[in-house]
């Protein structure tokens, strides 16, 4: 039996750290990077006599998330105690939401793949609930011992749980990327995966095609990169299929992914909800969210990617592919819109081409984010206006862009003037260069007249070289054809 006879079923649990300055139930700082245990307050570690107080900003971020996905915002939700023992959990329980989460349902449509093989996939959400993070065990800094850093204890998390709607690691990665972009877009999470602000658990099972019942699932914990997410799912699904085809079986379990070996390994047998002995937290009242609060949050929401994409297509006449690429992140969309505002909407397509082309390539080579690009949207717009009015060619524009990137001028006009890069558009000057090239290249002339179109490109290239790239290429092409015919 081949792997094609099996279907992979995947659901993701994403932990997004909410970007409040304080923790979820205390006023302690939630900032990353402090010395161990200096941000663990008495409330975070549940010392006797202390009481948790819910952070209002945490709730507002959960509402914002639910509104972005068309979810139901529960008018009343309840915090519960999830009881388990672990060294980095000083309370002996975690405050979370169980039966009554704050966000219920919702859907997000993601694009899987690229080009002609790309397709859209709607993925349903089960819920998103608020909870506090645990501390962190540190193993590498101590010989024969482990250290405990409780700074992270009490940090606010939104756990986003999907339905098991994904059928490949590619779909899971597309979903995780879309969710990562969304939480940053609506400004509820910084999305820093290296610092643990956004991490995924993948529930993976397999079943024979045509079978409705779900197979035994194993949960891969704490995946902090999209590449590891894909590798872990692919290995785990393959392992499950091979195990079942060999006539063996496995139990529900929690596993870890080892990036060094590319394999998953057993961590512990998987607990069910009853193992955690959930019960309502006696120190916290139910969370009541009135309709007016929801509407105030709705009024403060930014334009969402789907709506912006549609607007780019309708108002700026961009293709669906361009509009989609420009709304992959809010930073990219903001940069593009600022450039269009400076250049004028008539040049939107030119702006899009340069943002997705030259700018993106330079950012990639330099390892920079678009928010820290050395060329501002206004500077790019100034450059594009000189292309549009014929002052410079595209080839010269790239040289000007490089100078702007290196900080060699305040704007394109300064660089063009200083370097003498303005495009030659005088017909008589171009005609003289064309005649010189024709006279110096009789073989290419003969080849063109014999029907070899490529010979024309060679002759035009010679004119452009003679003009140091400053001759208007359209004029050169037209004059060359006229002279040769």
């Amino acid at each position: 039996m081949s792997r094609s006879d099996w279907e992979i079923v995947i659901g993701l649990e994403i932990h997004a750290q909410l970007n409040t300055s304080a923790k979820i139930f205390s006023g302690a700082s939630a900032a990353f990077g402090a010395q161990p245990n200096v941000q663990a307050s008495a409330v975070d570690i549940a010392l006797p006599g202390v009481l948790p107080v819910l952070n209002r900003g945490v709730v507002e971020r959960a509402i914002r998330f639910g509104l972005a996905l068309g979810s139901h915002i529960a008018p009343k939700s309840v915090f519960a105690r999830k009881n388990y023992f672990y060294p980095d959990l000083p309370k002996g329980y975690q405050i979370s939401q169980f039966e009554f989460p704050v966000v219920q349902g919702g859907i997000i449509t993601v694009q899987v793949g690229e080009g002609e093989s790309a397709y859209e996939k709607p993925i349903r959400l089960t819920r998103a609930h608020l909870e506090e993070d645990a501390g962190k065990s540190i193993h590498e800094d101590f010989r024969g011992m482990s250290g405990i850093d409780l700074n992270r204890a009490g940090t606010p998390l939104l756990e986003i749980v999907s339905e098991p709607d994904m059928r490949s690691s590619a779909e899971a990665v597309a979903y995780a990327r879309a969710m990562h972009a969304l939480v940053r877009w609506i400004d509820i999470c910084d999305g820093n995966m290296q610092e643990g602000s956004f991490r995924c658990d993948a529930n993976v099972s397999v079943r024979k095609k045509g079978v409705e019942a779900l197979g035994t699932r194993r949960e891969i914990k704490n995946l902090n990169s999209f590449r590891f997410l894909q590798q872990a799912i692919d290995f785990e699904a393959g392992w499950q299929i091979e195990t079942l085809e060999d006539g063996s079986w496995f139990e529900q379990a929690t596993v870890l992914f080892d990036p060094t070996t590319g394999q998953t390994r057993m961590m512990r047998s998987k607990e069910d909800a009853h193992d955690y002995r959930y019960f309502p937290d006696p120190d916290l009242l139910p969370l009541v969210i009135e309709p007016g609060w929801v509407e105030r949050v709705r009024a403060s929401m930014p334009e969402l990617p789907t709506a912006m994409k549609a607007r780019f297509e309708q108002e700026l006449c961009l293709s669906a592919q361009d509009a989609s690429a420009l709304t992959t992140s809010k930073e990219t969309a903001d940069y593009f819109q600022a450039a269009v505002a400076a250049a004028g909407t008539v040049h939107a397509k030119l702006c899009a081409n340069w943002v997705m082309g030259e700018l993106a390539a330079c950012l990639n080579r330099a390892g920079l984010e678009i928010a820290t690009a050395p060329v501002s949207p206004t500077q790019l717009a100034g450059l594009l206006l000189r292309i549009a009015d014929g002052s410079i060619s595209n080839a010269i524009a790239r040289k000007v862009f490089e100078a702007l990137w290196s900080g060699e001028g305040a704007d394109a006009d300064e660089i063009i003037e200083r370097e003498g890069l303005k495009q030659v558009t005088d017909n008589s000057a171009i005609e003289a260069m064309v005649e010189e090239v024709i006279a110096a290249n009789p073989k290419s002339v003969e080849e063109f007249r014999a029907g070899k179109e490529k010979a024309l490109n060679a002759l035009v290239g010679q004119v452009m070289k003679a003009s140091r790239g400053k001759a208007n290429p359209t004029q050169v092409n037209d004059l060359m054809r006229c002279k040769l015919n």
Side-chain angles (χ1 to χ4, degrees), residues 5 25 30-31 42 78 101 135 157 172 176 205 212 241 246 250 253 295 299 329 356 362 367 385 400 418 422 451 467:
D5 296 321
F25 299 118
V78 175
L157 299 178
S205 65
E212 291 189 13
I241 290 169
D246 287 344
F250 53 87
E295 293 310 310
S329 77
M356 296 184 296
C362 287
L385 287 173
V400 176
R418 186 183 70 228
K422 192 167 184 179
S467 70

Side-chain angles (χ1 to χ4, degrees), residues 21-247:
S21 59
K23 296 185 178 179
I24 186 169
F25 299 118
S26 79
S29 172
F32 178 84
Q35 289 296 311
N37 297 309
V38 300
Q39 293 175 182
S41 75
V43 174
D44 303 329
I45 59 178
L47 292 181
V50 299
L51 291 172
V53 177
L54 181 58
N55 183 334
R56 183 182 181 89
V58 169
V59 180
E60 290 189 344
R61 285 160 175 75
I63 295 171
R64 200 180 304 172
F65 176 81
L67 291 174
L69 293 174
S71 308
H72 172 65
I73 310 298
K76 181 179 178 180
S77 60
V78 175
F79 285 96
R81 290 186 180 181
K82 179 181 180 181
N83 296 272
Y84 66 94
F85 171 78
Y86 211 70
D88 59 17
L89 191 71
K91 297 178 179 179
Y93 62 86
Q94 176 190 30
I95 301 178
S96 182
Q97 292 186 313
F98 179 50
E99 292 180 297
F100 306 104
V102 64
V103 176
Q104 300 164 10
I107 193 165
I108 186 169
T109 299
V110 304
Q111 180 173 303
V112 186
E114 297 178 351
E116 294 182 0
S117 61
Y119 62 94
E120 289 190 336
K121 172 86 174 190
I123 297 172
R124 297 168 298 158
L125 268 68
T126 308
R127 57 189 280 153
H129 62 263
L130 292 168
E131 64 182 21
E132 62 179 347
D133 206 348
K136 183 179 181 181
S137 297
I138 302 171
H139 308 292
E140 61 273 13
D141 295 343
F142 304 91
R143 184 174 298 176
M145 297 182 293
S146 291
I148 303 295
D149 180 4
L150 297 176
N151 279 344
R152 205 167 67 183
T155 298
L157 299 178
L158 185 68
E159 181 172 344
I160 305 160
V161 183
S162 81
E163 291 288 321
D165 287 348
M166 290 154 273
R167 296 294 177 265
S168 68
S169 61
E171 290 185 358
V173 169
Y175 167 79
R177 285 187 181 278
M179 202 60 74
H180 183 260
L182 178 65
V183 296
R184 294 179 65 203
W185 189 290
I186 60 177
D187 193 26
I188 66 170
C189 171
D190 65 20
N192 193 318
M193 300 181 82
Q194 289 73 31
E195 294 179 1
S197 298
F198 187 94
R199 52 193 192 269
C200 304
D201 300 338
N203 289 288
V204 181
S205 65
V206 298
R207 63 186 177 188
K208 296 280 184 63
K209 286 187 175 176
V211 174
E212 291 189 13
L214 295 173
T216 302
R217 66 185 168 91
R218 302 214 310 173
E219 182 181 23
I220 312 169
K221 295 288 287 185
N222 291 329
L223 297 163
N224 65 351
S225 86
F226 300 121
R227 182 164 59 93
F228 293 164
L229 175 63
Q230 184 149 17
Q231 291 174 350
I233 290 172
D234 286 339
F235 176 84
E236 178 62 28
W239 179 86
Q240 290 186 19
I241 290 169
E242 288 178 11
T243 300
L244 294 172
E245 286 189 339
D246 287 344

